[in-house]
């Protein structure tokens, strides 16, 4: 049973109690933060790159419908077939159709968070199609029947001992070792056999270029190249927000992405795919498909402020720097995208009713906004979503799915009473007088608030009284 | 699913977002055009990323290639069927290693390529100094999997095809005017840090990358 955002509090508590998990995250987050810091050693350069990346993403989003159409027509001109899906169900139906029309039973998959979003593996399994993860981290996570706990490093919650145990259980002929090279070679051996025999390769997309109809993939391992090159059919899936206008938009975004994500100047492979194998070519897929998925993104698009959520280039820096994420890890959130970005994107993907607790899981320290390479104002968006979770839509605005789900009658009553009291001087004086004179009645326990704090106690006299005494 | 297409586009259009203009702030990027500086930067970054780099004159290509194959104990090599260095590669392989030409569709010899080839040799379309990347432009004479499937990739690069940075190379060569089916930047052998942040090479693609840079070509 996978975690769910509805149970965030219980899941977070369980994660906090798991010392091994906390140690794994602590080590990993320190490592990733250090790497990013070194990659952006020059503050002025960092700031300039972020300004540029933000400007590109905002420009491209401002023309989204037009760019999607241009992308589609240029892809088609290149021989790529383009499909559109409103939601997970439609996207999975597209996959099923394509794979079954080739009589396929095995698909190898490169890393793609969007495919996690539509739960592609489970949906394909129901159709008798095996969908095998080929990114090392994803492969480990899949062996353990888990979901990724980080968008860049899916198996970050596991240490090598846990990986070795998993291999011992699932990989025939594996001799237990803690040597990471041997562990990786074990994965390599299993997966190469799958690339060779798979009917279909699946991938995500980092940037889809409207100008040239090109799909860009950023990776280190080579599994992305394997999945998009060796099988006869390649299906790429992406959220509609990933389109960029020009090829020239790609280098600055690519640089911002790799430096923020893993602190690299560049990744080992940058793969630009602009079409299937041509008649005179001897390898490469014979068919390339692109699935464009909405799944709540157009909802985020509708509001100018919330639209900024779609600027995200999925670098993971916000989670690496989030004091909440680094302590509870990615699984506690119960959403595909964990951490700060998850808290602002999941309400659009899953509705605020399911995700109302997530925007509150932040100290609003601002670290996420400070590291985001495309300058998404995450803390402001969190506050906005906290508001939307309690309020009716503003006049004229489209409601967010599940809007007002977190509204509570008690809370509304308390605020109404407060508003009333502060508008009636006599009432206000009487209430504050009671609060100060009856302060010993204040309970010692105030729910979760006093679990690690002492309960506050009103002062002996009100501020007004103190000021009045002073004037005498 | 054209109904999905119409519905999605309609929803996005209804928002009437104000299209922003294309003027954008500049950012600093390495752009030294001095050939020695470019070469030094490329070599340094490739080596940092675990590639082996040899700089040599064009006339030494055959002997260097021979030596490298012998040193690495390479027995069977896959090559393309043409390209600028085809004759040199042929000469170098003669008597050193068995050669398998990529002269038929992948499907017809996938097993051999995956299981019985030690190295693949390709030329490079160019390279990028700023990020230390080789630019591969696969085509009928040098297919995509040649640089991907064999455990050792040997790449031959002419120093004269080096560019300072990616935006400059894209503009100079007019990439946006027409892209090949697959264009690649390669900056080292395949690697991963997915297990406890420990770097390991040879995750799925080549575990070794040798770059022969022809300094006078
Ligand atoms: S919100 Fe910003 S920091 Fe977080 S993953 Fe997206 S781009 Fe990276």
């Amino acid at each position: 049973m996978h975690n769910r955002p509805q149970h965030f509090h219980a899941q977070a508590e369980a994660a906090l109690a798991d010392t091994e998990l906390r140690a794994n995250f602590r080590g990993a987050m320190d490592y990733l933060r250090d790497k990013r810091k070194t990659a952006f050693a020059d503050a002025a350069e960092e700031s300039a790159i972020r300004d540029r990346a933000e400007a590109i993403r905002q420009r491209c989003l401002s023309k989204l419908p037009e760019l999607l159409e241009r992308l589609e027509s240029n892809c088609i001109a290149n021989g790529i077939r383009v499909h559109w899906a409103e939601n997970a169900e439609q996207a999975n139906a597209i996959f099923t159709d394509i794979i079954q029309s080739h009589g396929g039973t095995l698909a190898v998959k490169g890393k793609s968070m969007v495919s996690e979003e539509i739960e592609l593996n489970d949906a394909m399994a129901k159709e008798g199609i095996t969908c095998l993860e080929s990114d090392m981290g994803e492969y480990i996570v899949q062996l353990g029947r888990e979901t990724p706990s980080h968008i860049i490093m899916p198996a970050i919650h596991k240490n090598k001992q846990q990986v070795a145990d998993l291999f011992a259980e699932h990989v025939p002929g594996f001799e237990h070792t803690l040597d990471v090279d041997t562990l990786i070679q074990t994965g390599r051996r299993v997966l190469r056999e799958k690339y060779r025999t798979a009917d279909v390769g699946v991938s995500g997309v980092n940037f889809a270029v409207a100008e040239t109809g090109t799909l860009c993939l950023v990776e280190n391992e080579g599994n992305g190249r394997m999945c998009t090159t060796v099988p006869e059919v390649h299906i790429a899936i992406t959220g509609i927000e990933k389109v960029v206008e020009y090829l020239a938009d790609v280098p600055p975004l690519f640089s911002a992405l790799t430096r923020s994500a893993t602190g690299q100047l560049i990744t080992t492979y940058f793969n630009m795919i602009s079409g299937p194998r041509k008649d005179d070519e001897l390898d490469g897929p014979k068919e390339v498909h692109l699935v464009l998925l909405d799944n709540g993104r157009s909802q985020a698009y509708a509001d100018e402020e919330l639209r900024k959520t779609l600027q995200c280039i999925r670098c993971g820096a916000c989670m690496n720097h989030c004091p909440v994420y680094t302590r509870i890890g990615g699984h506690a959130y119960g959403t595909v995208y964990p951490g700060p970005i998850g808290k602002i994107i999941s309400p659009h993907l899953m509705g605020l009713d399911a995700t109302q607790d997530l925007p509150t899981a932040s100290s609003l320290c601002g670290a996420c906004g400070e590291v985001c390479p495309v300058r998404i104002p995450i803390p402001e968006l969190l506050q906005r979503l906290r508001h939307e979770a309690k309020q009716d839509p503003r006049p004229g605005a489209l409601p967010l799915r599940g809007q007002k789900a977190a509204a509570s009658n008690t809370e509304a009553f308390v605020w109404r009473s407060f508003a009333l009291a502060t508008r009636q001087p006599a009432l206000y004086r009487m209430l504050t007088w009671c609060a100060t004179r009856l302060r010993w009645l204040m309970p010692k326990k105030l729910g979760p608030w006093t679990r690690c704090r002492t309960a506050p106690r009103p002062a002996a006299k009100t501020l007004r009284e103190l000021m009045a005494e002073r004037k005498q | 699913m054209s109904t999905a297409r119409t519905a999605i586009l309609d929803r996005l259009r209804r928002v009437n977002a104000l299209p922003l203009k294309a003027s954008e702030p500049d950012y600093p990027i390495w752009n030294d055009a001095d050939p020695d500086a470019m070469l030094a930067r490329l070599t340094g970054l490739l080596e940092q990323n675990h590639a082996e780099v040899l700089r040599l004159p064009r006339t030494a290509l055959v002997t260097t290639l021979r030596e490298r194959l012998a040193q690495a104990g390479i027995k069977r090599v896959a090559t393309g069927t043409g390209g600028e260095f085809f004759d040199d590669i042929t000469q170098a392989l003669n008597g050193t290693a068995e050669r398998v030409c990529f002269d038929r569709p992948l499907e017809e010899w996938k097993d051999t390529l995956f299981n019985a080839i030690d190295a693949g040799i390709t030329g490079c379309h160019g390279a990028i100094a700023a990020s230390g990347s080789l630019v591969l432009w696969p085509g009928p004479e040098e297919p995509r999997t040649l640089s991907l499937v064999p455990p050792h990739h040997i790449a031959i690069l002419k120093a004269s095809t080096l560019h300072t940075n990616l935006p400059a190379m894209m503009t100079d060569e007019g990439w946006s005017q027409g892209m090949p089916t697959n264009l690649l930047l390669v900056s080292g052998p395949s690697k991963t840090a997915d297990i406890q942040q420990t770097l390991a090479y040879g995750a799925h693609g080549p575990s070794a990358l040798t770059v022969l840079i022809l300094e006078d070509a």
Side-chain angles (χ1 to χ4, degrees):
Chain A
M1 184 61 202
H2 287 155
N3 285 352
R4 296 168 47 165
Q6 288 89 338
H7 307 144
F8 175 73
H9 289 292
Q11 285 152 197
E13 249 175 71
L16 285 171
D18 184 341
T19 48
E20 190 175 21
L21 184 80
R22 289 195 60 173
N24 294 350
F25 269 99
R26 182 59 201 248
M29 296 300 111
D30 285 353
Y31 167 84
L32 286 169
R33 285 193 212 181
D34 277 354
K35 296 264 288 179
R36 181 187 174 279
K37 213 158 114 194
T38 322
F40 278 128
D42 180 348
E45 187 190 4
E46 176 189 344
S47 172
I49 289 208
R50 292 172 66 207
D51 287 344
R52 177 66 171 263
E54 178 193 22
I56 293 176
R57 290 300 294 137
Q58 287 189 342
R59 164 172 46 85
C60 295
L61 285 173
S62 77
K63 307 176 182 172
L64 186 59
E66 175 198 330
L67 294 190
L68 283 167
E69 282 185 322
R70 212 184 304 164
L71 173 73
E72 181 185 44
S73 63
N74 283 326
C75 281
I76 292 173
N78 290 342
I80 298 175
R81 303 185 201 179
V82 181
H83 312 259
W84 300 71
E86 287 269 29
N87 50 34
E89 196 189 337
Q90 288 185 4
N92 284 318
I94 294 168
F95 272 90
T96 311
D97 272 358
I98 302 172
I99 299 174
Q100 287 183 343
S101 72
H102 290 272
T105 54
L106 173 64
V108 280
K109 193 168 129 212
K111 228 182 94 49
S112 149
M113 291 312 291
V114 178
S115 73
E116 302 284 342
E117 208 179 301
I118 62 167
E119 299 185 17
L120 179 70
N121 299 356
D122 289 345
M124 292 305 104
K126 290 199 188 99
E127 305 290 338
I129 300 161
T130 307
C131 214
L132 186 78
E133 298 291 344
S134 69
D135 170 272
M136 279 301 171
E138 289 265 7
Y139 169 67
I140 291 165
V141 161
Q142 193 180 29
L143 273 188
R145 298 185 168 281
E146 289 177 287
T147 53
S149 61
H150 189 279
I151 63 173
I152 296 295
M153 305 203 120
I156 207 163
H157 55 290
K158 289 209 176 314
N159 55 38
K160 56 188 174 188
Q161 174 75 49
Q162 293 167 320
V163 175
D165 293 348
L166 204 55
F167 280 7
E169 192 184 325
H170 295 282
V171 181
F174 171 74
E175 284 198 27
H176 203 283
T177 171
L178 294 185
D179 177 53
V180 171
D181 273 316
T182 317
L183 292 172
I184 294 294
Q185 290 309 311
T186 304
R188 175 184 170 107
R189 212 183 50 236
V190 175
L191 290 165
R192 274 176 80 92
E193 191 50 25
K194 303 294 181 185
Y195 299 129
R196 191 176 66 77
T197 50
D199 311 290
V200 173
V202 177
S203 78
V205 175
N206 290 94
F207 316 108
V209 186
E211 181 184 26
T212 55
T214 299
L215 311 177
C216 302
L217 277 173
V218 177
E219 60 144 350
N220 282 313
E221 294 190 359
N223 67 313
R225 284 185 71 193
M226 284 283 189
C227 293
T228 59
T229 310
V230 179
E232 294 209 2
V233 179
H234 166 207
I235 311 175
I237 177 161
T238 184
I240 48 172
E241 81 281 19
K242 288 281 184 80
V243 59
V244 298
E245 189 167 11
Y246 304 114
L247 197 60
D249 291 331
V250 169
L253 291 177
F254 180 30
S255 170
L257 172 62
T258 60
R259 296 209 230 186
S260 306
T262 46
Q264 287 173 280
L265 199 53
I266 192 162
T267 47
T268 301
Y269 299 116
F270 185 55
N271 190 353
M272 288 171 265
I273 298 162
S274 308
R277 168 191 318 198
K278 290 202 172 123
D279 287 345
D280 58 349
E281 290 177 333
L282 300 172
D283 65 4
K286 292 178 178 163
E287 272 178 32
V288 178
H289 297 262
L290 173 65
V291 182
L292 296 167
L293 176 73
D294 181 336
N295 205 26
R297 288 163 172 82
S298 52
Q299 158 131 69
Y301 191 76
D303 181 286
E304 202 176 331
E305 191 183 15
L306 297 174
R307 188 181 310 152
K308 296 196 170 120
T309 310
L310 302 177
Q311 282 166 222
C312 177
I313 53 173
R314 305 281 188 263
C315 71
C318 55
M319 47 199 80
N320 303 342
H321 291 77
C322 172
V324 177
Y325 177 92
T326 55
R327 281 165 183 81
I328 62 175
H331 284 155
Y333 295 83
T335 47
V336 170
Y337 304 95
I341 176 61
K343 290 183 255 188
I344 59 171
I345 188 84
S346 305
H348 300 285
L349 307 183
M350 312 174 75
L352 254 175
D353 31 4
T355 57
Q356 52 183 276
D357 285 337
L358 300 184
T360 67
S362 167
S363 63
L364 297 181
C365 70
C368 49
E370 245 165 61
V371 294
C372 176
V374 287
R375 295 196 192 278
I376 301 177
I378 304 174
E380 281 86 343
L381 294 177
L382 286 171
Q383 278 174 298
R384 168 78 192 272
L385 288 166
R386 288 181 185 184
H387 212 255
E388 305 292 319
K390 309 247 180 210
Q391 304 281 331
D392 281 322
R394 298 152 201 220
L398 286 174
L400 197 66
R401 190 147 56 93
Q403 179 146 16
K404 207 183 170 185
S408 119
N409 287 337
T410 327
E411 199 180 318
F413 171 75
V414 168
W415 284 115
R416 260 202 312 277
S417 314
F418 178 73
L420 186 72
T422 49
R423 266 178 288 151
Q424 313 269 346
L427 184 60
Y428 184 80
R429 265 197 302 276
M430 188 193 81
L431 285 173
T432 48
W433 189 89
C434 290
T436 48
R437 292 335 186 263
L438 303 177
R439 62 198 196 108
W440 47 270
L441 282 180
M442 183 83 183
K444 284 227 161 28
K445 294 235 179 298
L446 291 173
W449 177 260
T450 42
R451 234 182 317 156
C452 37
R453 299 180 190 86
T454 35
R457 176 179 267 208
K461 286 182 179 169
T462 66
L463 180 65
R464 282 175 165 279
E465 287 172 307
L466 291 173
M467 291 306 286
E469 281 171 18
R470 245 199 182 182
K471 278 194 203 135
Q472 279 168 12
Chain B
M1 289 290 163
S2 63
T3 50
R5 178 185 189 276
T6 322
I8 295 170
L9 287 173
D10 277 356
R11 269 200 307 275
L12 296 177
R13 283 237 161 72
R14 221 174 303 140
V15 173
N16 268 326
L18 221 57
L20 295 169
K21 280 205 308 292
S23 87
E24 268 139 36
D26 245 339
Y27 69 102
I29 181 166
W30 194 90
N31 66 355
D32 196 336
D34 170 54
D36 289 332
M38 283 201 280
L39 204 52
R41 169 120 181 160
L42 177 78
T43 310
L45 287 174
L46 276 170
E47 283 174 346
Q48 249 177 50
N49 278 328
H50 217 70
E52 176 194 35
V53 183
L54 303 169
R55 289 160 58 164
L56 51 141
R58 166 88 209 221
T59 48
L61 178 56
V62 175
T63 44
T64 313
L65 204 46
R66 266 174 187 277
E67 280 164 21
R68 262 323 277 137
L69 293 169
Q71 272 167 17
I74 290 167
K75 303 236 153 29
R76 290 184 96 193
V77 178
T79 71
T81 52
E84 206 180 334
F85 308 111
F86 187 71
D87 292 339
D88 302 80
I89 298 169
T90 310
Q91 263 189 55
L93 287 175
N94 203 349
T96 341
E98 185 190 337
R99 171 226 202 88
V100 183
C101 262
F102 204 138
D103 55 5
R104 62 220 134 108
L106 175 66
E107 294 71 39
E108 293 173 21
W109 69 296
K110 225 188 213 179
D111 293 1
T112 315
L113 181 66
F114 267 82
N115 298 319
I117 300 286
D118 302 319
I121 307 183
T122 73
C124 296
H125 172 77
I128 297 162
S131 57
S133 320
L134 306 176
V135 179
L136 302 184
W137 193 293
E141 291 186 335
E142 282 185 349
R144 314 177 191 199
T145 43
L146 209 49
S147 63
L148 174 64
V149 176
H152 193 148
H153 175 208
I154 302 175
I156 307 171
L157 171 74
K158 294 197 293 184
S160 58
T161 59
L162 196 46
H163 293 255
T164 68
N165 57 49
L166 177 58
M169 185 167 189
M170 281 179 168
T171 324
D172 292 352
E173 296 199 334
W175 285 8
S176 57
Q177 309 307 311
M179 293 283 279
T181 50
N182 191 203
L183 178 54
L184 283 160
L185 308 192
V186 175
S187 308
S190 108
K191 68 173 179 235
T192 181
D194 266 354
I195 301 183
Q196 214 176 324
Q197 302 89 52
T198 311
L199 202 54
Y201 292 93
H204 305 277
S207 44
L209 170 66
T210 302
V211 187
L212 306 182
I213 305 182
L214 309 180
E215 291 198 72
D216 55 351

